[in-house]
Amino acid sequence: MDDFYRENILDHYKYPRYKGHLENPDIKFRDVNPTCGDDITFELKIEDDRVTDVAFNGHGCAISMASASMLAEELMGKSLDEVKAMDKRFVLDLLGIPIGPVRLKCALLPLKVVKAGVWGLDAWQREEED
Ligand code: ZN
């Protein structure tokens, strides 16, 4: 059971989906996780409150990169309401393995970047405190 998820994480890490840049993104946001050195930028195209294109770039550990790649896949085509509904649980379920407190920031950085980019850092901080 765990093996499937571990292999999936490694696969996303080695062959990241949607890694790169967009031309003229509507939203571009970068954040870092200094404790691990993860550095992630997300770029989004938004049309009619829907994500029509997505790309991420940066570098970091396997957990942060796999989380970004999986999240990018999920974001594609979603409405902003659906993106807003993606929470910590959603990301942890995508990864599917137990994530300890130190790695939690790695796992959640991509979601933080997306949500802070769309709604501002305040919105994310309120969410993180829940
Ligand atoms: Zn990390």
Side-chain angles (χ1 to χ4, degrees):
M1 183 61 180
D2 262 20
D3 277 359
F4 165 78
Y5 285 107
R6 280 176 209 288
E7 272 172 35
N8 195 35
I9 286 170
L10 282 177
D11 189 65
H12 274 271
Y13 178 56
K14 279 192 228 160
Y15 311 104
R17 281 58 146 183
Y18 298 100
K19 194 156 189 220
H21 291 275
L22 299 181
E23 262 180 56
N24 309 314
D26 296 303
I27 289 165
K28 182 173 180 179
F29 196 79
R30 168 177 178 249
D31 204 355
V32 298
N33 170 20
T35 51
C36 180
D38 307 318
D39 182 334
I40 293 178
T41 301
F42 259 89
E43 299 175 357
L44 298 172
K45 282 286 229 189
I46 310 285
E47 272 168 50
D48 298 329
D49 287 336
R50 194 166 281 278
V51 178
T52 56
D53 210 355
V54 55
F56 79 96
N57 49 79
H59 55 86
C61 64
I63 295 288
S64 66
M65 290 293 112
S67 175
S69 173
M70 290 176 189
L71 185 65
E73 256 183 354
E74 294 292 329
L75 288 171
M76 197 63 188
K78 290 287 195 304
S79 72
L80 288 182
D81 282 346
E82 288 171 311
V83 176
K84 209 164 197 168
M86 293 176 181
D87 57 6
K88 282 186 257 189
R89 191 71 258 157
F90 178 80
V91 170
L92 295 178
D93 284 348
L94 283 179
L95 290 166
I97 58 165
I99 305 284
V102 177
R103 288 275 174 232
L104 195 60
K105 281 194 184 298
C106 305
L108 295 179
L109 181 63
L111 184 67
K112 176 185 179 183
V113 169
V114 167
K115 290 203 163 183
V118 179
W119 292 287
L121 262 180
D122 298 358
W124 173 258
Q125 271 150 6
R126 277 198 302 277
E127 193 166 329
E128 205 174 29
E129 282 159 14
D130 286 348

